[in-house]
């Protein structure tokens, strides 16, 4: 979809028309911006003058490349977010995959771990990990997102403005998952007529459990024991987790120990008092499994500062639980005009995709934002549209458009949408989050 104002220009067309522009620095990227919280790194000696490190059993990151998860409050029930603004491509390194635990991380020996499949089946069976690994193996790339992701940009009474993409939407990660398709195991035990739900239960101290429609279990659900080429890490459910592509993370039960096939949902704690969406009028939206289309600009964003005007590359991530992202639009004037961004392959179903957009910034204060569109035609809504549909009390599925205000001076300013003061740092061009 083209912009309503001015002529949009693609990154590819811009580069083709300006030979040498990249090397000359005419196009500025995240590498050209200042990071307010950057850590000093000791400058190494000339590597051509001294021998390097020896081989080792495990690799390590370069001193200047030290991304970290952002841990929330300490406690058994807590979370840590992926540093979205510090990564490239779409695959999240396993050690940076976000965490969300309800009773800490259990220590489980895979050799003694068992999965019980019972209920409305012909052959109730206990599977050990070695048993599961005898079945045909499959690998899929999919995102996992906590349904509470983005809560800091939804409720105007507790919204912070100095938020990085990590603190705003860091409960999102994208991995290659490997395991056995759940449909294979269900066919093995023989699902009985009349069955329509499967209860999945974890082996952590919370014994977290969720009811999953049988249709999803027989479609693309996976019993995953591998992630990004290695065994799933303990934080992500070692030795076995339920993978439900495109669905909220809480339903993708970790440390999976039991599957009970039945003809109705079990109505566990995690699908009644929790993980339901309160609506206006005292009602609630239950079993809202699918994650709707969403996007976030990861640069420019807080805590980066644009040192000068000119051509800057806007980049970010988009994803949807309903298939593929078909387009992402970017606005650099607060949502008045929109221009289609360029999607960076691969564009996979129920996986994150990178988008890029060239922007000629004139140095004036402005608001930039993005909106994703998926193959169903769904368009990522504004926060006002989400408030109108669900009210302001919900705690889940907050996929409203994310915006960043870029300042040109040091004055205090208010957001025209909800009148929240935003601190702008002068004379540099500081990025703050706004609804």
């Amino acid at each position: 979809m083209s912009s309503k104002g001015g002529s949009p220009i693609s990154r590819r067309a811009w580069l083709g028309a300006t030979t040498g522009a990249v090397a000359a620095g005419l196009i500025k990227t995240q590498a050209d911006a200042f990071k307010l919280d950057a850590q000093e790194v000791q400058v190494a000696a000339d590597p051509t003058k001294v021998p390097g490190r020896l081989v080792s059993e495990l690799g390590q990151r370069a001193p200047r490349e030290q991304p970290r998860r952002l841990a929330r409050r300490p406690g058994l029930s807590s979370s840590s977010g992926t540093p979205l603004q510090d990564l490239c491509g779409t695959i999240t390194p396993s050690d940076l995959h976000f965490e969300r635990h309800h009773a800490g991380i259990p220590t489980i020996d895979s050799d003694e771990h068992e999965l019980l499949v019972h209920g409305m089946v012909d052959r109730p069976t206990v599977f050990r990990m070695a048993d599961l690994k005898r079945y045909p193996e499959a690998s899929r790339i999919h995102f996992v997102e906590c349904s509470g992701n983005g809560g800091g940009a939804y409720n105007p009474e507790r919204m912070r403005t100095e938020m990085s993409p990590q603190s705003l939407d860091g409960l999102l990660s994208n991995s290659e998952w490997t395991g056995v398709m759940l449909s294979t195991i269900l066919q093995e035990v023989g699902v009985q007529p009349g069955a329509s739900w499967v209860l999945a239960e974890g082996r952590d101290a919370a014994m977290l459990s969720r009811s999953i429609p049988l249709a999803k279990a027989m479609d693309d659900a996976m019993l995953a024991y591998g992630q990004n080429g290695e065994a799933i890490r303990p934080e992500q459910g070692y030795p076995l987790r339920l993978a439900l592509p495109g669905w909220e993370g809480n339903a993708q039960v970790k440390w999976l120990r039991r599957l009970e096939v039945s003809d109705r949902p079990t109505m566990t704690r995690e699908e009644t008092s929790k993980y339901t969406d309160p609506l206006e009028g005292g009602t609630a939206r239950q079993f809202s499994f699918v994650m709707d289309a969403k996007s976030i600009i990861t640069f420019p964003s807080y805590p980066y500062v644009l040192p000068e005007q000119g051509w800057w590359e806007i980049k970010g991530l988009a994803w949807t639980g309903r298939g593929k992202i078909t387009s992402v639009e970017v606005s650099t004037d607060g949502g008045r005009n929109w221009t289609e961004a360029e999607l960076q392959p691969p564009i996979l179903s129920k996986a994150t995709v990178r988008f890029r957009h060239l922007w000629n910034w004139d140095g004036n204060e402005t608001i930039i934002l993005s909106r994703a569109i998926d193959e169903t035609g769904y368009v990522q809504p504004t926060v006002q549209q989400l408030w109108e549909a669900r009210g302001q009390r919900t705690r889940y599925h907050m996929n409203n458009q994310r915006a960043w205000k870029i300042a040109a001076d040091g004055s205090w300013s208010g957001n025209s949408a909800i009148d929240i003061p935003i601190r702008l740092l002068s004379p540099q061009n500081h990025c703050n989050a706004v609804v």
Side-chain angles (χ1 to χ4, degrees), residues 158-169:
R158 57 184 175 88
M159 189 193 78
R160 293 165 40 226
T161 56
E162 293 189 349
M163 302 178 70
S164 67
Q166 179 178 24
S167 57
L168 176 59
D169 273 324

Side-chain angles (χ1 to χ4, degrees), residues 298-320:
T298 56
F299 179 82
S301 62
Y302 183 83
Y304 285 95
V305 173
L306 305 184
E308 59 184 272
Q309 63 190 61
W311 286 98
W312 286 90
E313 182 184 61
I314 295 173
K315 65 179 182 178
L317 290 166
W319 61 100
T320 177

